[in-house]
Amino acid sequence: MGYMMRERIEVNPNIHSGRPCIASSRIPVEDVLELVAEGIPFSEIIRDYYPDLQVEGIQACVRYAAEVVVAEDLHVSVARE
């Protein structure tokens, strides 16, 4: 995980059952990613949902998700004819 992400994303077993959150907040990464996936602009996410959030926090969520996908161990089976 890159330096910025380590600084901005944290996992604490006492907050949201250990789900990744934006550091120094109780904002789950998953919730932010759902808003991004809906196509809501970062400025609207901040204005309408999380006024204490900064653009860098949203970017860290996206980077975190990308790192999780890269690290994921996929098992693909190939159908035989």
Side-chain angles (χ1 to χ4, degrees), residues 2-54:
Y3 175 75
M4 181 184 148
M5 283 190 348
R6 275 182 272 149
E7 186 177 284
R8 295 205 177 258
I9 304 297
E10 67 183 2
V11 176
N12 181 332
N14 297 317
I15 299 175
H16 290 294
S17 301
R19 289 173 48 206
C21 292
I22 296 174
S24 302
S25 81
R26 299 180 71 84
I27 303 171
V29 169
E30 178 182 359
D31 293 354
V32 174
L33 291 173
E34 286 176 2
L35 296 171
V36 171
E38 289 177 22
I40 299 173
F42 290 6
S43 59
E44 273 185 51
I45 292 171
I46 294 167
R47 184 187 69 225
D48 297 341
Y49 297 90
Y50 299 110
D52 295 332
L53 189 58
Q54 297 175 351

Side-chain angles (χ1 to χ4, degrees), residues 76-81:
V76 179
S77 62
V78 178
R80 294 185 180 205
E81 293 182 27

